[in-house]
Structures are given as C-alpha cells and as structure tokens.
Amino acid sequence: MVQVLQTALDALSLGSIFALAALGVGLLFGILRLANIAHGDFITLGAYSLIVPFTSVAASAQLFIGAWPWFFVIPTVGAIVVLVALVTERFVFRPLRNASAPTLMMASFTVSYVLQNAMMLAYGSQARGVDLWYGLTQPIYLGALRVPVIQLITIGVTAFLMISLSLFLKYSRFGIQVRAAAEDFRMAQYLGVKANRVIGGAFAISGMLAATVALLYLPQSGTVNYAWGSPLALYAFVAVVVGGMGSLVGAVVGGFLLGIATTLLQVYLPSDLKPFRDAFAFGFVILTLVVRPNGLFPNKNVHKRV
C-alpha cells in the first residue's frame, strides 16, 4: 500500500510539471496555431537566471537571484521570462502574424537556436549543479510514506494555477477575449478584440508558466544546462497532441497522463528495460492516437486563425 501511495505521489508531481509545460504550449497553439519550440528555452532561461553567469570551470553554480528571499525570487524570475517572451512576440512572431504554420514553426526553431546559443555564451555548455532551496528537497515522513516537500508544493502550486487560470479565462474581460480568439480569431477581431493585446497576453501567461516550471523542477533535478528545458518541452508537445490540439483541458489531462505513464514505467519495468522507459511511454502515446487520432478532447475548431 505504501508503495502504491509513493508511486501515486511521484506520478502526480511529475504530471504537474508536464501539465504546466503543456498548458503554456497549448495556450499559444489555441490562439496562434503556433507550436512554440522555444518554450523549452524559456524554461531553461528561468533556471539560468537564478545563477551567476559562467565564470569558471567549476561544476557547481553560484546562486545570483536564487540567493535572494523566495518572495523576491519568484516575481523576478517570472518578470525576466515574461519579458523575453514578449520581446520574441513583438519582434519575431508579430511580423509573421499572417505567415503559414510551417513558417511560424521555423521562426520558433530560430528563436530556440538563438536563445540556446546566447545561454551557452553566458553560462557555457557544461551542466551546472544548482543548490536551490535545498530544504524543500528534504522529505517528511507520514508513517512509512516518504514525502519530499517540493513534490507537495509542486502539486499544490499546479492546482492553484490551474484553478486561477480557469477562473481568469472564464470570468475576466481579457480571459473572455482569449477564449473568443481561440474559438474563431477572425470573428473575434471583427467583434473588436485587439489581436496584439490578446496574443501579447497569451505570450506573457505562457512565459509565466515556463518560469513556474523552472522554479518547481530545478530543485528536483539539481542541475541545469543550455538544453535543460528541451525534454520538458518535448513532453509538453506530446501531452498537447494526446489531449487534443487546441484544447487547454486536453493539454492538462495529457500532461498528467504522460506523467503517470512515465512514473509507472520507471517503477514497474524490469531493470534491464528501464533505460527504454521513454520509448515505452511514447509507444503508449502512439496507441492512444491510433484509437483517438484527434486526441482525447479534440477541438472541432482547429484551423488557421490569423
């Protein structure tokens, strides 16, 4: 029983990370039909902003913003990532507003390449150990159940953000405009929705979610390199596809399902097959798409918006 509860906790924690990453990807796809490859680099940027730029060959990084009190760290990292996301929207994606989906994807590849190389110049290509909020990685024990504090925080923060974002999109004026744009962007424009404001806001929310993923995942991984966020972005894209392209609910559900599947495979696969865990996980994804080609929650209105 303890093993089942421990596995469930690990699955929920990892699924929360995937769900937040998928939500950031799915939000932009819902409005712009943009598969933003650079989302993983926004996550990496959030992690790198916590440490001093690369100055030596030491494997352990020196904290910069990460050494501040947490109530300064969180808004500062969020502001940095949101600012970079808005800059890319203004100077890269806005001029390409009427471009085709492949062109937008190639632009996002370019942004990703530029960001990765900029981070390599500033911090180097070597993986760096980061001791961020060490106390949060220490477990508490509930009987025989071992519960790392950071996992409880990850699950709680994810639930809070999802509920808050859901209420924001449902009841706020801007949220209603975002949902209208996701349903039919051109019609929303005809009705007075300002495209630049809505898309800029979506990029800002996506950047905020990327910063949150960085702050929650870095204490658990303990290291960062220039491509650190790319695997998370890959899982996020897979979660969006499984959940249904253009569906935010589907992105969240897909993220949790992928986290659960990955954790169960890590726990129950024979030891000689565990190195192939991701292959089995993506095999599960293929089977899901064979049964539901449009994802679990297909969006009937997926077509070019702008």
Side-chain angles (χ1 to χ4, degrees):
M1 184 62 180
V2 172
Q3 178 64 31
V4 172
L5 291 176
Q6 190 74 64
T7 302
L9 180 65
D10 294 341
L12 281 177
S13 177
L14 184 60
S16 296
I17 296 292
F18 290 162
L20 285 178
L23 197 57
V25 171
L27 184 65
L28 290 182
F29 185 86
I31 297 174
L32 269 181
R33 297 297 173 255
L34 167 64
N36 187 18
I37 308 299
H39 190 75
D41 302 292
F42 292 161
I43 296 173
T44 306
L45 178 65
Y48 266 134
S49 66
L50 294 163
I51 65 177
V52 175
F54 188 74
T55 55
S56 69
V57 295
S60 181
Q62 180 182 353
L63 292 177
F64 174 40
I65 294 176
W68 300 355
W70 66 268
F71 46 82
F72 289 132
V73 171
I74 294 173
T76 303
V77 173
I80 291 171
V81 179
V82 167
L83 178 61
V84 173
L86 289 175
V87 168
T88 61
E89 188 278 327
R90 176 62 184 85
F91 295 103
V92 179
F93 296 110
R94 188 177 299 183
L96 298 174
R97 187 67 52 78
N98 297 313
S100 64
T103 301
L104 287 173
M105 179 175 285
M106 289 307 300
S108 72
F109 268 117
T110 303
V111 171
S112 174
Y113 185 81
V114 170
L115 288 176
Q116 285 193 15
N117 280 269
M119 288 184 285
M120 286 178 65
L121 285 173
Y123 296 94
S125 59
Q126 179 184 0
R128 312 294 303 281
V130 182
D131 184 13
L132 178 69
W133 299 333
Y134 175 76
L136 296 183
T137 63
Q138 301 305 301
I140 58 176
Y141 291 90
L142 302 175
L145 185 63
R146 180 180 178 275
V147 184
V149 176
I150 188 62
Q151 289 191 345
L152 295 178
I153 293 175
T154 298
I155 295 169
V157 168
T158 300
F160 172 77
L161 286 178
M162 288 180 179
I163 293 171
S164 299
L165 186 58
S166 176
L167 294 175
F168 175 74
L169 292 176
K170 186 173 183 179
Y171 294 111
S172 73
R173 179 183 178 87
F174 179 78
I176 293 172
Q177 291 178 348
V178 169
R179 289 191 292 117
E183 284 296 317
D184 192 323
F185 198 95
R186 290 195 182 279
M187 181 58 69
Q189 285 181 296
Y190 293 150
L191 295 175
V193 173
K194 298 184 183 300
N196 291 340
R197 181 171 176 267
V198 169
I199 293 174
F203 267 90
I205 295 173
S206 180
M208 180 270 292
L209 292 171
T212 303
V213 171
L215 290 171
L216 292 174
Y217 190 61
L218 184 59
Q220 301 180 59
S221 70
T223 61
V224 62
N225 62 32
Y226 68 94
W228 180 73
S230 297
L232 292 176
L234 174 61
Y235 275 104
F237 283 114
V238 172
V240 169
V241 172
V242 169
M245 301 293 280
S247 170
L248 295 183
V249 173
V252 171
V253 172
F256 276 109
L257 288 178
L258 203 55
I260 291 170
T262 301
T263 303
L264 290 177
L265 288 170
Q266 181 64 33
V267 172
Y268 294 110
L269 274 178
S271 57
D272 55 337
L273 292 179
K274 286 184 179 180
F276 307 101
R277 178 198 65 184
D278 289 349
F280 284 99
F282 290 132
F284 162 74
V285 170
I286 292 173
L287 290 176
T288 303
L289 294 177
V290 167
V291 178
R292 302 276 295 184
N294 294 320
L296 299 176
F297 299 90
N299 188 339
K300 298 179 180 179
N301 297 309
V302 172
H303 55 271
K304 188 177 177 183
R305 305 296 190 197
V306 293

